[in-house]
C-alpha cells in the first residue's frame, strides 16, 4: 500500500506557492514544496502590490513595511503623445521587490516547517486517494492533495493538455531597477507602441521599471536595448524618466511566450494558484496581489478538506467557484483595458473620455482590485 508523503504537495515556490505553504504549515499540516531555483532571485514583475492582501500577509507573519516597502497612493497614466491623467488609488498599495518578498516568505516557510525539494517536477497525476508528482531525478512523491503554482507556462501544462498551451503566446516582458528621481507615492503606467511600461518605487530608493509588449513589435528591433531606446522612449514621459535615472542591472531581465488566455483553476484534482490559474494584464497593476489572494483561497479550502469537514469533490468545486468569483471580472477588465491600450486611437479617445468624467478612472481601478479584508476573512472558505 502506498503511504502518503505529505498532506499537501505544492509545485512552485513563487508568491502563491510560498504563501499557501506557510498558511498550511502554520496550521499544522505537512507540506512539500518543489522549487528547483535558489532564493533570492529577481523576476520580471511589476512589484506593486495592492493593500487588499496586507492583512493576510501580516497574518502569516510578514509585514512588508518591516522590509522597506514604500506606500503607494496615486496612479498616473500617460498616452504615447505625453498626455496624462491621474487619480488616487481607491485602496492604495505598496512597492516591494519580488526579490525581497520571496526571500522573506521563503525564510518564513522554512521556519513554519515547509519541506523544500530542490528539484523540478516533470509530471503530476491525480489518484482516488490524492495526488502524485514525479521529479526530474525520477523520484515519486504522494500527497493527500496538491497545489499547482509553477508560473505562467510549464512543461506540466503540456502534460495536462491545458488548452492555452498550444495557442500563440504573443507577448514578451522585461524589467530592471534604477536609481533617480521619481515620486514615491506613485505607480505610473506609460503607453508606447505595442505595449506599456509600469514604474514605481520599491525598497532602498530603487525604482522598478517593468514593461510588456507584443512580440510582433519587439522583433522588428535588433535587441532589447534598441527596443527600449526607440519604442519605449518614444513616450515623452518615459524618455524623461530614462534621462533622469540610472539602470542598476547590467541588462534588463526578460521573459517571452506570455499568454493571457483563460486557464481552469482546477486541473486533475490539483488547485491552480497565481499565474498558473490565470494571468492578468500587468496594466491592471495587481498580479502579485492576485497570486497572494489565490493562495489564501486555496489554503482555506484545503484546511477544510484536510480536517475532514468537506469532501474532495467539494474542495474542487468550492475552490473553482471562489476563484472565479474573485478573479473572473478582474481578468475580463484587464483584457478590455489591454485592447484599448493596443490601439493608439482607442487609448486617445479613452483618455479624453476619462478626463471628462474623472470618477471613471478610480471606478476602473476598483474593478481590477479586490477589497480590503480583515485577517479572519482570509482564512474562511
Amino acid at each position: 500500500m502506498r503511504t502518503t508523503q505529505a498532506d499537501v504537495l505544492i509545485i512552485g515556490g513563487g508568491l502563491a506557492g510560498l504563501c499557501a505553504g506557510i498558511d498550511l504549515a502554520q496550521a499544522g499540516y505537512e507540506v512539500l514544496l518543489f522549487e528547483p531555483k535558489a532564493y533570492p532571485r529577481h523576476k520580471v514583475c511589476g512589484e506593486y502590490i495592492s493593500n487588499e492582501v496586507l492583512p493576510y500577509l501580516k497574518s502569516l507573519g510578514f509585514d512588508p513595511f518591516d522590509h522597506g516597502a514604500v506606500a503607494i497612493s496615486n496612479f498616473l497614466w500617460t498616452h504615447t503623445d505625453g498626455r496624462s491623467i491621474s487619480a488616487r488609488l481607491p485602496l492604495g498599495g505598496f512597492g516591494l521587490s519580488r526579490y525581497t518578498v520571496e526571500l522573506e516568505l521563503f525564510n518564513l516557510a522554512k521556519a513554519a516547517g515547509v519541506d523544500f525539494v530542490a528539484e523540478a517536477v516533470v509530471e503530476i497525476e491525480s489518484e482516488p486517494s490524492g495526488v502524485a508528482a514525479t521529479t526530474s531525478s525520477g523520484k515519486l512523491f504522494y500527497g493527500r492533495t496538491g497545489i499547482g503554482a509553477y508560473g505562467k507556462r510549464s512543461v506540466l501544462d503540456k502534460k495536462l493538455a491545458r488548452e492555452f498551451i498550444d495557442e500563440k503566446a504573443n507577448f514578451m516582458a522585461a524589467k530592471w531597477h534604477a536609481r533617480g528621481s521619481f515620486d514615491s507615492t506613485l505607480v505610473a503606467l506609460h503607453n508606447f507602441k505595442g505595449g506599456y511600461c509600469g514604474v514605481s518605487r520599491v525598497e532602498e530608493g530603487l525604482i522598478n521599471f517593468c514593461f510588456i509588449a507584443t512580440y510582433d513589435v519587439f522583433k522588428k528591433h535588433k535587441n532589447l536595448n534598441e527596443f527600449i531606446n526607440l519604442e519605449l522612449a518614444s513616450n515623452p514621459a518615459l524618455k524623461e524618466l530614462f534621462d533622469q535615472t540610472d539602470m542598476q542591472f547590467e541588462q534588463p531581465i526578460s521573459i517571452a511566450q506570455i499568454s493571457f488566455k483563460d486557464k481552469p483553476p482546477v486541473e486533475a484534482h490539483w488547485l491552480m494558484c497565481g499565474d498558473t490559474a490565470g494571468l492578468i494584464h500587468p496594466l491592471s497593476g495587481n498580479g502579485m496581489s492576485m497570486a497572494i489572494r489565490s493562495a489564501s483561497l486555496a489554503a482555506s479550502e484545503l484546511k477544510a478538506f484536510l480536517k475532514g469537514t468537506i469532501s474532495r469533490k467539494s474542495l474542487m468545486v468550492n475552490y473553482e467557484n471562489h476563484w472565479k468569483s474573485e478573479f473572473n471580472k478582474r481578468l475580463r477588465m484587464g483584457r478590455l483595458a489591454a485592447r484599448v491600450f493596443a490601439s493608439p486611437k482607442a487609448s486617445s479617445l479613452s483618455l479624453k473620455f476619462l478626463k471628462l468624467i474623472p470618477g471613471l478612472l478610480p471606478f476602473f481601478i476598483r474593478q481590477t482590485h479586490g477589497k480590503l479584508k480583515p485577517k479572519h476573512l482570509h482564512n474562511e472558505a
Side-chain angles (χ1 to χ4, degrees):
M1 181 181 290
R2 293 171 174 172
T3 57
T4 301
Q5 292 287 127
D7 293 310
V8 186
L9 306 184
I10 300 178
I11 316 302
L15 295 178
L18 288 169
C19 286
I22 295 166
D23 198 339
L24 290 160
Q26 288 179 346
Y29 297 105
E30 188 176 17
V31 178
L32 283 176
L33 194 155
F34 300 82
E35 175 53 59
K37 296 180 181 178
Y39 300 92
R41 65 271 180 105
H42 285 290
K43 286 185 177 180
V44 177
C45 189
E47 299 184 338
Y48 161 77
I49 306 176
S50 165
N51 280 338
E52 66 181 284
V53 297
L54 195 53
Y56 179 62
L57 289 174
K58 289 181 177 179
S59 76
L60 299 179
F62 176 62
D63 186 339
F65 293 96
D66 290 340
H67 304 280
V70 178
I72 295 174
S73 55
N74 298 300
F75 173 76
L76 172 72
W77 169 27
T78 71
H79 189 259
T80 52
D81 61 12
R83 287 179 297 146
S84 67
I85 186 170
S86 60
R88 190 161 183 83
L89 291 167
L91 191 59
F94 57 92
L96 190 63
S97 70
R98 186 73 176 263
Y99 184 98
T100 295
V101 175
E102 284 194 359
L103 176 60
E104 298 305 327
L105 290 176
F106 169 64
N107 290 333
L108 267 178
K110 287 194 299 181
V114 174
D115 189 2
F116 283 81
V117 180
E119 293 189 50
V121 172
V122 296
E123 189 166 356
I124 58 176
E125 300 174 281
S126 62
E127 300 185 341
S129 60
V131 296
T134 304
T135 65
S136 53
S137 67
K139 295 177 184 175
L140 191 58
F141 296 84
Y142 298 97
R144 292 171 63 189
T145 188
I147 292 175
Y150 47 78
K152 299 173 180 64
R153 200 175 187 89
S154 166
V155 64
L156 295 176
D157 294 314
K158 201 81 173 175
K159 294 284 182 71
L160 291 168
R162 304 184 84 190
E163 289 184 9
F164 84 93
I165 200 70
D166 292 321
E167 298 184 22
K168 186 178 181 181
N170 194 36
F171 292 91
M172 60 81 61
K175 157 208 163 157
W176 67 94
H177 284 168
R179 291 194 183 277
S181 177
F182 187 77
D183 182 352
S184 64
T185 69
L186 188 67
V187 57
L189 196 64
H190 303 290
N191 213 175
F192 60 87
K193 182 182 177 182
Y196 34 87
C197 180
V199 186
S200 59
R201 283 275 185 193
V202 290
E203 72 275 16
E204 297 181 356
L206 292 167
I207 306 165
N208 182 62
F209 286 80
C210 186
F211 75 82
I212 187 164
T214 61
Y215 186 71
D216 291 339
V217 174
F218 172 75
K219 69 182 181 182
K220 297 175 183 177
H221 297 273
K222 293 178 183 178
N223 53 51
L224 187 55
N225 285 332
E226 180 184 278
F227 180 74
I228 292 171
N229 291 330
L230 292 179
E231 297 294 353
L232 273 72
S234 65
N235 180 313
L238 272 177
K239 185 179 187 311
E240 183 178 358
L241 279 172
F242 295 161
D243 290 342
Q244 294 176 349
T245 58
D246 296 315
M247 188 184 298
Q248 300 298 292
F249 290 5
E250 288 187 12
Q251 291 288 331
I253 57 174
S254 61
I255 55 172
Q257 292 188 304
I258 300 172
S259 172
F260 295 101
K261 300 292 184 181
D262 287 333
K263 302 175 184 179
V266 176
E267 295 274 13
H269 292 180
W270 289 76
L271 307 189
M272 301 303 187
C273 288
D275 291 344
T276 312
L279 184 61
I280 192 168
H281 279 270
L283 61 87
S284 298
N286 215 22
M288 292 175 75
S289 305
M290 284 181 58
I292 295 165
R293 179 62 183 139
S294 69
S296 171
L297 294 174
S300 177
E301 292 299 332
L302 285 169
K303 284 184 280 188
F305 167 72
L306 293 168
K307 285 189 293 187
T309 57
I310 61 172
S311 67
R312 188 177 300 278
K313 182 179 179 180
S314 294
L315 165 67
M316 306 300 158
V317 171
N318 290 353
Y319 177 69
E320 182 164 2
N321 288 341
H322 285 309
W323 195 94
K324 288 180 177 179
S325 175
E326 185 84 18
F327 301 123
N328 271 1
K329 184 168 72 172
R330 299 196 207 188
L331 296 172
R332 285 197 302 271
M333 294 299 289
R335 286 192 285 266
L336 173 62
R339 286 196 292 271
V340 170
F341 267 68
S343 166
K345 287 185 178 179
S347 59
S348 180
L349 287 171
S350 297
L351 185 63
K352 290 179 181 178
F353 195 60
L354 289 170
K355 281 182 174 292
L356 287 173
I357 310 175
L360 279 180
L361 185 54
F363 172 79
F364 172 76
I365 294 170
R366 282 194 292 270
Q367 306 315 301
T368 58
H369 290 61
K371 297 178 180 179
L372 192 61
K373 299 176 176 66
K375 291 181 183 181
H376 70 279
L377 291 183
H378 283 282
N379 296 315
E380 291 178 2

